[in-house]
Amino acid sequence: MNASAASTAGQNYGGDAAGLICGYRMGTPGPAQAIDSVEAAQWLQSLASAQALEDHPPADLAGDGEALPFVWLHFNLSHIQAVRWMERHAGLPDAFFEALKDGSHSTRIERDDDTLIAVLNDAHFDFAFEPFDIATLWISVAPQLVVTARAHPLRSVDALRTAVRNGHSPRSSVALLEQLMRTQAGGLVDIVRGVTQRIDRIEDELLAGRLDYKRSRLGVLRRLLVRLQRLLAPEPAALFRLLQNPPAWMGAEDAQELRDSTEEFSVVLRDMQGLQERIKLLQEEVAANVQEANSRSLFVLTVVTVLALPINIMTGLLGMNVGGVPLADSPHGFWIIVGILVVFTAVAAWIALRGTRDR
């Protein structure tokens, strides 16, 4: 990559003129080499010319201990030129563009001839533990070309991009997919840890009797985990189905590493399911505490009403403007009425509080 291209890429994080966020040539001795969209188009053209001279597309040489060089191109779908550039230069299968156009975000990994087409979901780069902080990544994996495309910045892709830039270059295109999945699983582990810490704090406040706004956060965290579970749960099963019939160019070592990453991913999903059960129990505990507090408030209101009942009845009777009101002319009438009210109030209090002593 020349200095001007590097400067342009550094100034425009959303992609260059073709919507290319980053491009690397890998699978060769030494670190990955950064390329721009112009260099990528030239490399793809030379690759297509070389394949046209052969009777069949190149196969992976992993079985001989050597892998083919390949290119990773990562595009920003928000850029209007991204899809046009891929259609014109990348030679991707129609299934990839159909996946882009249909708008389906369900996780899947399929084989289209000798190309792997994947639709994965991941957390936003600025993930804030909200259910809508999940976006989709579309992937095409061939022996010498890996294309990833997204509409929003994603955590796992940014972490993979940083790792490649720091010299951790995958040896093959499948190894790049495997490293992306491991990075995705690592991001999920961080999310699970963050949710666990938040649940711990809410649980401590619940046990301490402080049921403030934290109650609403339980519902948000549970919706987040449910959405992650729904979007990510099909991923291990899809990979297992793919590994039952992998493409011929996929090496045995790459297939085993994909299988291992799938098992790690499954463990994270089980942890998420356990967190959902824990949040559900906390929600039930909070609901029980709220119901108990409401019952206590209702009981206090009932007791106050019962205690005020004799006073209201007596004052209502004595306050009528009719003749024959008892003790109206007695000098001790007020105190007699007060004594009667005290007796009736004490009886009413005994009746109201008798049930609490039996609990």
Side-chain angles (χ1 to χ4, degrees), residues 54-110:
E54 300 179 359
D55 295 333
H56 55 80
D60 187 17
L61 301 179
D64 300 330
E66 181 181 356
L68 291 170
F70 69 98
V71 165
W72 172 36
L73 304 177
H74 181 50
F75 287 91
N76 177 16
L77 293 176
S78 300
H79 199 292
I80 192 173
Q81 295 295 332
V83 176
R84 296 178 183 176
W85 192 98
M86 288 186 285
E87 291 175 340
R88 185 179 307 166
H89 299 286
L92 301 177
D94 295 336
F96 179 80
F97 296 104
E98 291 175 358
L100 291 179
K101 295 176 182 178
D102 63 13
S104 176
H105 301 286
S106 59
T107 299
R108 59 188 184 273
I109 302 176
E110 303 169 347

Side-chain angles (χ1 to χ4, degrees), residues 160 179 198 207 226:
L160 177 59
Q179 187 171 343
R198 290 167 181 249
L207 295 176
V226 167

Side-chain angles (χ1 to χ4, degrees), residues 106-166:
S106 59
T107 299
R108 59 188 184 273
I109 302 176
E110 303 169 347
R111 176 181 170 182
D112 185 86
D113 292 333
D114 284 337
T115 303
L116 302 181
I117 306 298
V119 179
L120 305 180
N121 292 276
D122 192 28
H124 284 186
F125 179 77
D126 52 351
F127 182 75
F129 294 94
E130 298 293 339
F132 51 80
D133 287 343
I134 309 296
T136 305
L137 177 70
W138 289 267
I139 308 173
S140 174
V141 181
Q144 293 187 272
L145 176 64
V146 177
V147 174
T148 57
R150 55 76 174 166
H152 305 279
L154 300 176
R155 278 190 166 191
S156 59
V157 179
D158 188 77
L160 177 59
R161 176 187 179 187
T162 302
V164 171
R165 190 167 54 237
N166 292 337

Side-chain angles (χ1 to χ4, degrees), residues 3-61:
S4 61
S7 175
T8 302
Q11 293 174 359
N12 190 1
Y13 183 82
D16 60 10
L20 180 66
I21 299 174
C22 65
Y24 293 98
R25 185 164 52 236
M26 295 178 278
T28 57
Q33 302 175 6
I35 60 175
D36 58 16
S37 58
V38 176
E39 294 171 326
Q42 295 173 353
W43 191 89
L44 290 171
Q45 184 177 4
S46 63
L47 177 63
S49 301
Q51 293 180 3
L53 298 177
E54 300 179 359
D55 295 333
H56 55 80
D60 187 17
L61 301 179

Side-chain angles (χ1 to χ4, degrees), residues 8 27 31 34 48 70 143 155 176 193 199 230 233 251 270 272 296:
T8 302
F70 69 98
R155 278 190 166 191
L176 178 68
R193 289 175 180 171
I199 294 176
R230 184 177 66 251
R270 286 195 294 269
M272 292 173 57
R296 286 196 299 266

Side-chain angles (χ1 to χ4, degrees), residues 215-333:
R215 289 179 296 173
S216 61
R217 293 299 302 167
L218 283 174
V220 174
L221 293 176
R222 188 178 180 186
R223 288 194 297 272
L224 168 64
L225 293 177
V226 167
R227 186 177 184 195
L228 283 173
Q229 186 83 13
R230 184 177 66 251
L231 292 176
L232 301 177
E235 188 166 323
L239 264 177
F240 277 125
R241 286 194 299 269
L242 172 67
L243 293 175
Q244 295 298 322
N245 184 26
W249 52 266
M250 183 184 295
E253 184 178 355
D254 289 334
Q256 183 59 41
E257 290 185 353
L258 269 180
R259 190 174 289 107
D260 295 340
S261 65
T262 302
E263 294 175 356
E264 295 179 5
F265 202 86
S266 300
V267 172
V268 178
L269 290 176
R270 286 195 294 269
D271 293 340
M272 292 173 57
Q273 188 173 4
L275 274 178
Q276 292 181 46
E277 295 297 327
R278 186 179 174 189
I279 292 177
K280 182 179 179 181
L281 291 176
L282 280 176
Q283 286 180 316
E284 293 176 354
E285 182 69 19
V286 170
N289 288 346
V290 171
Q291 184 177 1
E292 183 179 355
N294 292 336
S295 298
R296 286 196 299 266
S297 300
L298 183 59
F299 173 75
V300 171
L301 180 61
T302 302
V303 170
V304 171
T305 303
V306 170
L307 295 180
L309 185 60
I311 300 175
N312 292 332
I313 294 176
M314 188 65 70
T315 55
L317 291 174
L318 298 180
M320 292 187 297
N321 296 323
V322 296
V325 176
L327 304 177
D329 299 327
S330 174
H332 304 291

